[in-house]
């Protein structure tokens, strides 16, 4: 099966479509990607790229065809608008460079919605099904980034967005509320608008302890945000909430912002004007695979969105990454994201843009007023002489039906030793160690089953995140 993937943003830019394309290839699909020249989020060409290309590359077995675009340099309203409209036009012209022979077209539709226009043109011309994965709902997402006030321009943006969504054969929404909105706007049935929540790559669940990085931010309560800085994240409100929490007594509180984007310059100026240099650090962008270095040192992970009612329709992919890191989440958002954090019990949540509520959650992270013990870990091993490890229970070593050994005893023993080296094994009951060891060993078993099934061709090659294969069947 041959699939054409259309997306303005692609490797080496950090977007989840990179992982999806790699997965398509691993599942035996032949994949071509039509994308832009990498300049997101700063609007500066990545090393090795310019307005003159390169226009053809290979990524993880997929052929990459790039189209020109006007970079969003400076992230002003003018340059963002020119970037939004230029790539679809150049991409439409680049369609003739594609080898053809595709069975389906798939668009990873972040902003702008115009990104899907060349995909629609190709699919309609060649009579093949087109599926559009809606990551940013337009024109609502546009208004969260650019303050479009002109009524005629807003009418144009609404009309164009609705027309493009209606012309898609299938839509994918990230949540139930977004599915309802897309159905209402396009007249499509729920059979034509699938719901596939955002997921995260496996590496987010594996901590990467960086001794130098952890030493740099040691001695503070680190609240970490990772991702893009735009008005939609309301990070200006977050900075004020952090300062309010420090004023309320959380003097060791520290906000670590890892990423970049159109709002960075304004946020840095705000931090300087508020004399927040000791409270806020702008670290800059890192590759997605380096994010676990920062989630590992975090005491809490921050996610925030503005109070635009339409942003509440989705659950950001960042939330899945945070939950995989197994760290407490501080969330400031409405709608589906608010409900997801609340239902998971994975953190504290407040309404979007509620500065006081967020500050209270940050400062009052111990609502039961439990007596806390501060543990000052060091990498130096403690003297273990005289310390006795509670013997692991027999069920941790039970033989499995497939004949393989359960790794729970090994996990139990290694975890106890790690705790003992830091002189805190006595603080962790053996029952908790047993539960942790069983959970990790079962997780390893699940991963082995998935890998084995994949090697035997049992994964559905066109089922995005487990959804029905009809997404790519003609006439559906």
């Amino acid at each position: 099966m041959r699939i054409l993937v259309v997306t303005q943003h692609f490797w080496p830019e950090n977007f989840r479509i990179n992982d999806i394309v790699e997965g398509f290839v691993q599942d035996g699909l032949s994949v071509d990607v039509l994308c832009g020249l990498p300049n997101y989020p700063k609007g500066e060409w990545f090393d090795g790229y310019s307005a003159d290309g390169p226009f053809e590359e290979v990524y993880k077995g997929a052929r990459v065809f790039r189209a020109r675009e006007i970079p969003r340099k400076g992230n002003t309203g003018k340059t963002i608008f020119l970037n939004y409209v230029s790539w679809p036009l150049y991409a439409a012209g680049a369609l003739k460079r594609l080898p053809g022979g595709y069975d389906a077209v798939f668009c990873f539709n972040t902003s702008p919605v115009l990104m899907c226009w060349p995909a629609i043109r190709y699919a309609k011309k060649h009579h093949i099904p087109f599926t559009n994965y809606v990551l940013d709902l337009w024109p609502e997402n546009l208004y969260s980034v650019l303050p479009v006030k002109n009524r005629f321009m807003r009418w144009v943006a609404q009309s164009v967005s609705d027309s493009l969504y209606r012309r898609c054969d299938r839509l994918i929404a990230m949540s139930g509320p977004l599915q309802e909105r897309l159905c209402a706007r396009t007249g499509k049935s729920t059979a034509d608008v699938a719901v596939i929540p955002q997921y995260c790559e496996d590496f987010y669940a594996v901590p990467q302890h960086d001794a130098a990085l952890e030493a740099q931010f040691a001695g503070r309560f680190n609240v970490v945000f990772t991702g893009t800085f735009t008005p939609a994240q309301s990070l200006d409100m977050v900075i004020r909430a952090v300062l309010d929490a420090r004023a309320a007594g959380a003097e060791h509180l520290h906000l670590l912002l890892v990423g970049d984007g159109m709002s960075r310059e304004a946020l840095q100026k705000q931090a300087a004007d508020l004399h927040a240099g000791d409270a806020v650090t702008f670290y800059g962008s890192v590759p997605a695979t380096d994010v676990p270095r920062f989630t590992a040192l975090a005491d809490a992970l921050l996610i925030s969105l503005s109070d635009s009612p339409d942003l509440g329709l989705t659950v950001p992919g960042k939330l899945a990454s945070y939950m995989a890191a197994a760290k407490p989440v501080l969330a400031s958002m409405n709608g589906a994201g608010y409900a997801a954090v609340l239902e998971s019990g994975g953190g504290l949540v407040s309404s979007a843009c509620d500065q006081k509520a967020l500050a209270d959650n940050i400062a009052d992270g111990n609502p039961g007023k439990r007596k806390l013990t501060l543990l000052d870990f060091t990498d130096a091993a403690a003297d273990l002489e005289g310390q006795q490890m509670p013997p692991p229970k027999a069920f941790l070593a039970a033989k499995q039906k497939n004949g393989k050994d359960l790794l729970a005893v090994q996990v139990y023993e290694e975890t106890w030793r790690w705790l003992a080296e830091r002189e805190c094994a006595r603080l962790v009951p053996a029952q908790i160690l047993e539960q942790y060891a069983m959970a990790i060993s079962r997780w390893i078993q699940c991963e082995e089953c998935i890998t084995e099934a994949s090697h035997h061709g049992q994964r559905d090659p066109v089922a995005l995140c487990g959804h029905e294969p009809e997404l790519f069947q003609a006439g559906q």
Side-chain angles (χ1 to χ4, degrees):
M1 186 175 186
R2 289 174 50 77
I3 291 182
L4 171 63
V5 173
V6 178
T7 174
Q8 181 172 347
H9 302 296
F10 189 65
W11 165 84
E13 295 173 336
N14 284 333
F15 282 84
R16 198 143 280 151
I17 185 59
N18 303 345
D19 183 65
I20 292 176
V21 166
E22 183 180 357
F24 281 167
V25 173
Q26 290 176 350
D27 286 337
L29 302 180
S30 175
V31 183
D32 288 352
V33 180
L34 176 62
C35 60
L37 291 164
N39 67 97
Y40 182 90
K42 292 184 178 181
E44 300 172 356
W45 301 123
F46 281 36
D47 290 343
Y49 295 89
S50 70
D52 297 321
F55 295 107
E56 293 189 17
E57 297 179 281
V58 175
Y59 172 76
K60 302 292 183 70
R63 291 183 298 180
V64 179
F65 298 86
R66 299 190 184 274
R68 283 189 170 89
E69 62 183 276
I70 297 175
R72 49 193 294 153
K73 190 171 181 65
N75 283 304
T76 64
K78 178 181 178 180
T79 58
I80 291 176
F81 174 78
L82 291 174
N83 178 261
Y84 280 175
V85 300
S86 64
W87 185 81
L89 294 173
Y90 280 120
L95 292 174
K96 60 181 179 292
R97 292 168 37 211
L98 301 175
Y102 305 111
D103 299 295
V105 182
F106 172 74
C107 180
F108 188 79
N109 203 171
T110 55
S111 292
V113 69
L114 296 172
M115 186 187 303
C116 71
W117 176 62
I120 293 172
R121 287 193 61 186
Y122 190 94
K124 298 301 182 185
K125 179 180 179 180
H126 295 277
H127 307 288
I128 55 178
F130 170 52
T131 299
N132 191 12
Y133 195 175
V134 181
L135 281 302
D136 292 337
L137 181 66
W138 266 57
E140 290 84 351
N141 191 268
L142 170 67
Y143 304 150
S144 71
V145 177
L146 297 177
V148 180
K149 301 298 183 183
N150 184 280
R151 293 179 63 183
F152 175 74
M153 294 302 297
R154 291 175 73 98
W155 175 83
V156 170
Q158 184 77 50
S159 300
V160 170
S161 300
D162 287 347
S163 174
L164 290 172
Y165 289 142
R166 281 195 296 266
R167 295 175 67 190
C168 302
D169 296 312
R170 295 292 303 276
L171 296 171
I172 302 176
M174 293 187 295
S175 67
L178 181 56
Q179 179 194 45
E180 294 175 6
R181 177 65 63 86
L182 288 171
C183 288
R185 284 176 50 174
T186 63
K188 294 181 182 293
S189 68
T190 54
D192 292 323
V193 184
V195 177
I196 301 179
Q198 289 244 53
Y199 73 102
C200 71
E201 296 85 345
D202 291 343
F203 60 77
Y204 284 108
V206 182
Q208 297 179 22
H209 291 284
D210 185 324
L213 191 66
E214 291 174 3
Q216 180 181 350
F217 299 106
R220 291 185 273 187
F221 187 92
N222 292 296
V223 175
V224 176
F225 172 93
T226 64
T228 305
F229 306 165
T230 73
Q233 277 72 48
S234 292
L235 291 175
D236 55 336
M237 179 277 300
V238 171
I239 290 175
R240 293 193 299 271
V242 166
L243 294 180
D244 289 348
R246 284 172 64 99
E251 58 185 31
H252 297 297
L253 179 63
H254 174 243
L255 176 63
L256 177 56
L257 298 172
V258 182
D260 212 330
M262 63 182 296
S263 298
R264 176 168 178 168
E265 186 175 338
L267 292 171
Q268 288 179 316
K269 183 179 185 305
Q270 177 196 22
D273 292 344
L274 295 175
H275 307 288
D278 183 56
V280 182
T281 297
F282 293 85
Y283 194 89
S285 294
V286 300
T289 51
D290 281 351
V291 168
R293 295 169 52 219
F294 296 88
T295 56
L297 68 82
D299 295 290
L301 297 169
L302 175 78
I303 182 168
S304 60
L305 288 176
S306 76
D307 55 3
S308 167
D310 300 290
L311 289 178
L313 295 173
T314 62
V315 179
K318 186 201 314 287
L319 183 57
S321 305
Y322 282 2
M323 289 182 172
K327 290 295 182 75
V329 175
L330 284 168
S332 173
M333 57 177 61
N334 294 332
Y338 183 105
V341 177
L342 200 63
E343 291 171 8
S344 72
L348 301 175
V349 61
S350 56
S351 298
C353 295
D354 190 334
Q355 179 178 325
K356 182 180 185 306
L358 178 59
D360 289 344
N361 279 345
I362 294 173
D364 196 23
N366 181 25
K369 303 301 180 185
R370 303 183 307 276
K371 182 180 180 180
L372 302 180
T373 301
L374 180 62
L375 302 177
D376 186 12
F377 287 170
T378 65
D379 288 332
D383 182 5
L384 301 183
E385 185 176 352
Q387 297 189 48
Q388 297 296 323
M389 179 183 71
K393 298 289 179 61
F395 69 85
L396 296 178
K399 202 70 174 180
Q400 304 303 290
K401 289 184 178 180
N402 61 6
K404 295 183 179 180
D405 292 328
L406 190 63
L407 299 178
V409 171
Q410 180 181 343
V411 174
Y412 178 95
E413 292 176 346
E414 290 180 357
T415 304
W416 182 88
R417 177 167 290 276
W418 187 90
L419 292 167
E421 287 174 351
R422 288 152 181 81
E423 300 181 339
C424 59
R426 58 186 172 79
L427 300 175
V428 182
Q431 184 180 11
I432 292 179
L433 278 180
E434 292 164 359
Q435 293 171 351
Y436 173 77
M438 284 298 295
I440 294 297
S441 60
R442 292 303 187 195
W443 171 70
I444 293 172
Q445 278 188 327
C446 289
E447 291 297 324
E448 289 176 344
C449 289
I450 292 171
T451 301
E452 184 176 349
S454 176
H455 287 164
H456 286 81
Q458 295 175 17
R459 285 175 64 189
D460 190 331
V462 294
L464 267 176
C465 304
H467 197 71
E468 57 266 36
E470 289 80 2
L471 285 173
F472 294 112
Q473 290 183 3
Q476 297 293 322

